[in-house]
């Protein structure tokens, strides 16, 4: 839709409104990054990412320094990541900055760029989807701005993007692909751009398939591509990078699927779906409470449009995927986060369609049109703010520095405290290391990034043997259901074991196996291997107090 001459709001108004929101968002993001950083007793500030992102940074650091895509440089390689494109991006940042803390900061700053880009593309997508009505009492430009604004306040997308996860990159590729397929069908470059973007989405995260598949099918159907050669070429452009990734995986890691995916296999569906439903209920509470409004707006009140139905199909596909996988071990809407921009676009378009329907059927008198439409828009915006109050409260937490109800604040603060403890122990291990052969046993595998030691991942993300085990009976947490503390400890004999929240489990293991317990000094929160030639135990304990 061309909105240049159809708006009572000028194009300059839209530009300056976006500009102001962007500046405010950048300042908020820098404040968030500052808050998420860690200042230790010695006054040194360290930048830290989400633990899964720190695992990716570990791989990226080794790759950037010629050690290969490995977690431990002294062991056989294992694919403990599921985001190869993000790992390569991290490696590029590391190659430029050559500092562990600054590299984390660089990834966080990239997250700002990702979210801003997604918001601008959401506004562009809204502009493409808004129908062109001859008489409109409320400015379409206002709706374009609303799509930009609400995407910019989608807190799960902000959080995971600024904490180094691949969600921001995936959301950006998704928005680029949608804007491309909704372009003029005569554009000859689309036949390789769209499949390329979809392939990049799969390389960013394999579960992007729930969006990639319907988009690709829509693209092939809508554009027809003119000839069989172009149709085949598009499919090859999409499949060849994925085939090369699988081939590399087999040649380098000796596995057909990532170790992270292997971890999730073998769990019975009867264990997965209750957790998946619990997780989906939170998704419904935060995101899908207004799905009926979207459906009515785009299918009943609005003009039939296959593009809108394509976007709407992401709703049932996402819920189905969450039920099938059992949700996520983090209850902060990580899975839906990269879809949030699309959902806000659909909401805004549905409200616009509703206003037009009201003008055509209820607000027949000019006075009703003049006052009824703005009131409806005002109420709709209020309804959106109320529906997504969790996001706005979470945003406000970092402005007033106090917890609001219905926000993610307490969960984030607990994670920040955990990250600080992890960092202190990691740096103490690094300072007390006597040999590069030192091994550290962890439950938070990202700790090895700053510790610079060989790691033993008790939960198996970077251990192919643990990933190949059947899940522990009656225990289910997505990606955390397979472990064997006795085997991992006995086989690797880590020089340091950090028990974290599993203190009771380790105490029971050592109590049942006193011969193993005799090899360690017990400090409850961590165990140090007695007389280890690779670790200075006294210095480690001193450095813990120092940091």
């Amino acid at each position: 839709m061309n909105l240049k001459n159809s708006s009572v709001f000028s194009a300059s108004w839209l530009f300056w409104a976006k500009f102001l929101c962007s500046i405010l968002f950048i300042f908020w993001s820098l404040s968030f990054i500052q808050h998420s950083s860690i200042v230790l007793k010695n006054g040194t500030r360290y930048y830290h990412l989400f633990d899964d992102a720190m695992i990716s940074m570990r791989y990226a650091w080794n790759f950037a320094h010629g050690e290969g895509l490995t977690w431990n440089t002294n062991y056989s390689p294992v694919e403990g990541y599921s985001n190869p494109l993000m790992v390569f991006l991290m490696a590029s940042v590391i190659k430029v900055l050559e500092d562990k803390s600054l590299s984390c900061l660089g990834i966080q700053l990239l997250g700002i760029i990702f979210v801003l880009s997604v918001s601008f593309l959401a506004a562009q997508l809204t502009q493409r989807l808004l129908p062109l009505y001859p008489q409109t009492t409320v400015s379409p430009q206002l709706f374009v701005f609303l799509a930009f604004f609400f995407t910019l306040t989608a807190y799960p997308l902000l959080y995971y993007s600024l904490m180094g996860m691949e969600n921001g990159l995936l959301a950006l590729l998704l928005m680029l692909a949608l804007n491309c397929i909704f372009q003029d069908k005569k554009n000859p470059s689309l036949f390789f751009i769209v499949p390329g973007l979809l392939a990049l989405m799969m390389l960013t995260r394999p579960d992007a398939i729930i969006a990639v598949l319907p988009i690709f099918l829509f693209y092939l159907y809508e554009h027809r591509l003119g000839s069989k050669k172009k149709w085949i070429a598009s499919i090859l452009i999409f499949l060849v990078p994925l085939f090369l990734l699988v081939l590399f995986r087999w040649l380098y890691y000796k596995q057909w699927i990532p170790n992270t995916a292997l971890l999730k296999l073998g769990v019975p569906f009867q264990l997965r779906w209750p957790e998946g439903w619990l997780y989906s209920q939170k998704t419904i509470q935060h995101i899908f409470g207004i799905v009926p409004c979207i459906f009515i707006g785009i299918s009943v009140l609005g003009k039939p449009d296959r593009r809108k139905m394509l976007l709407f199909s992401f709703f049932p596909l996402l819920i189905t995927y969450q039920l099938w996988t059992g949700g996520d071990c983090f209850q902060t809407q990580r899975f839906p986060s990269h879809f949030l921009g699309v959902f806000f676009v659909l909401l805004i378009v549905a409200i616009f369609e509703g206003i037009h329907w009201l003008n055509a059927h209820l607000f027949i008198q000019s006075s009703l049109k003049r006052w009824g439409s703005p009131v409806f828009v005002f109420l709709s915006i209020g309804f959106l703010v109320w529906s997504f109050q969790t996001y706005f409260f979470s945003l406000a937490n970092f402005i007033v520095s106090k917890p609001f109800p219905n926000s993610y604040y307490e969960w984030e603060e607990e994670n920040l405290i955990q990250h600080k403890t992890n960092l202190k122990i990691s740096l103490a291990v690094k300072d007390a290391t006597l040999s590069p052969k030192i091994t550290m046993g962890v439950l938070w595998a990202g700790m090895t990034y700053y510790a610079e030691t060989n790691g033993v991942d008790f939960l198996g993300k970077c251990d192919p043997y643990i990933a190949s085990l059947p899940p522990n009976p009656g225990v289910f947490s997505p990606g955390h259901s397979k472990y064997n503390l006795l085997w991992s400890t006995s086989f690797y004999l880590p020089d340091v074991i950090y028990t974290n929240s599993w203190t009771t489990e380790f105490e029971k293991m050592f109590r049942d196996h006193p011969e193993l317990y005799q090899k360690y000094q017990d400090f409850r929160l961590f165990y140090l291997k007695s007389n280890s030639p690779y670790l200075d135990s006294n210095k480690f304990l001193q450095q813990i107090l120092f940091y």
Side-chain angles (χ1 to χ4, degrees), residues 9 41 71 156 175 178 189 275 366 405 424:
F9 292 95
K41 289 180 181 179
W71 194 54
M175 278 293 180
L178 291 173
S189 62
E275 292 295 324
S366 58
K424 289 170 64 176

Side-chain angles (χ1 to χ4, degrees), residues 11 20 38 91 111 136 149 157 162 180 188 233 238-239 261 272 279 294 304 332 361 364 367 443 450 454 474 496 531:
L20 177 61
I38 300 168
T136 305
F149 172 78
L157 175 63
L162 296 180
C180 283
F238 173 67
L239 291 179
R272 296 199 310 266
Y279 184 83
I294 295 178
T332 47
H361 296 86
I364 299 175
S367 59
L443 294 162
Y450 276 116
N454 295 305
V496 183
N531 303 316

Side-chain angles (χ1 to χ4, degrees), residues 55 216 226 310:
I55 296 173
F216 198 35
L310 166 68

Side-chain angles (χ1 to χ4, degrees), residues 510-528:
F510 280 122
R511 187 170 58 249
D512 294 342
H513 299 275
E515 76 285 355
L516 187 60
Y517 181 68
Q518 292 175 0
K519 297 180 180 181
Y520 284 91
Q521 296 174 276
D522 183 358
F523 294 92
R524 188 170 175 81
L525 184 61
F526 43 82
Y527 293 83
L528 303 182

Side-chain angles (χ1 to χ4, degrees), residues 420-472:
K420 186 173 183 177
T421 303
N422 292 353
L423 178 63
K424 289 170 64 176
I425 293 176
S426 298
L427 294 175
V429 170
K430 178 185 175 183
D431 292 344
T433 295
L434 299 176
S435 166
K437 294 182 179 180
I438 186 173
T439 302
M440 180 181 182
V442 291
L443 294 162
W444 294 67
M447 291 178 63
T448 54
Y449 176 75
Y450 276 116
E452 299 182 8
T453 65
N454 295 305
V456 175
D457 180 8
F458 290 116
L459 293 177
K461 180 172 284 190
C462 302
D463 190 326
Y465 174 76
I466 296 297
S468 65
L469 295 176
N472 285 274

Side-chain angles (χ1 to χ4, degrees), residues 1-8 126-141 143 296-305 307-308 348-361 369 373 376:
M1 176 182 176
N2 187 348
L3 303 178
K4 290 182 179 179
N5 300 317
S6 62
S7 174
V8 295
T126 304
Q127 187 166 322
R128 295 183 189 281
L129 291 177
L130 286 179
L132 182 60
Y133 292 122
Q135 293 182 344
T136 305
T137 56
V138 179
S139 168
Q141 292 281 19
F143 291 87
I296 293 172
I298 65 174
S299 63
V300 179
L301 305 181
K303 298 177 180 178
D305 191 333
R307 299 174 302 171
K308 299 171 190 174
I348 299 304
V349 172
I351 293 172
F352 184 82
E353 295 277 20
I355 289 175
H356 176 73
W357 186 89
L358 289 173
N359 286 337
H361 296 86
K369 287 184 180 180
S373 296
F376 181 79

